[in-house]
């Protein structure tokens, strides 16, 4: 038996627990209840779901903002309220 859990499964009572049993108690009828080990699966899955949901919400929000900005520029361009022109004329050289 390598671990204390193996001893408890085999019916052995550790010395510190044995001292707490009242005198005259039938040791064969003593039941030792062990607390289950903590499972980290739930918190890890919850964290992954929250992060994935947050990323999805941010992506949708960015897409909606982009569509709204594009629509606003299109409306303003069509109504003449906004114009954008690229002037590619070269500057005259001073040496000539």
């Amino acid at each position: 038996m390598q671990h204390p859990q193996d001893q408890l499964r085999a019916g052995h009572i550790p010395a510190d627990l044995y001292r707490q049993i009242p005198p005259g108690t039938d040791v064969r009828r003593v039941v030792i209840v062990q607390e289950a080990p903590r499972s980290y699966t739930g918190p890890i899955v919850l964290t992954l779901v929250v992060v994935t949901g947050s990323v999805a919400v941010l992506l949708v929000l960015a897409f909606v903002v982009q569509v709204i900005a594009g629509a606003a520029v299109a409306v303003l361009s069509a109504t003449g309220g906004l114009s954008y022109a690229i002037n590619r004329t070269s500057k005259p050289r001073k040496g000539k």
Side-chain angles (χ1 to χ4, degrees):
M1 288 182 240
Q2 299 289 329
H3 303 288
Q5 294 88 359
D6 297 336
Q7 292 177 355
L8 289 175
R9 283 191 207 105
H12 297 285
I13 300 175
D16 59 335
L17 293 177
Y18 190 74
R19 286 189 215 107
Q20 296 176 8
I21 298 174
T25 305
D26 187 8
V27 181
R28 292 173 292 174
R29 294 181 178 259
V30 172
V31 176
I32 298 174
V33 179
Q34 269 187 302
E35 184 178 347
R38 181 173 169 105
S39 172
Y40 292 99
T41 305
I44 290 173
V45 170
L46 179 64
T47 303
L48 290 175
V49 167
V50 167
V51 168
T52 304
S54 299
V55 168
V57 166
L58 288 176
L59 286 174
V60 168
L61 187 63
F63 180 73
V64 168
V65 167
Q66 180 182 2
V67 168
I68 290 173
V73 167
V75 167
L76 288 175
S77 295
T79 59
L82 177 70
S83 62
Y84 182 75
I86 298 175
N87 188 2
R88 294 190 51 122
T89 58
S90 61
K91 296 180 182 178
R93 297 184 182 172
K94 292 184 178 182
K96 294 187 179 183

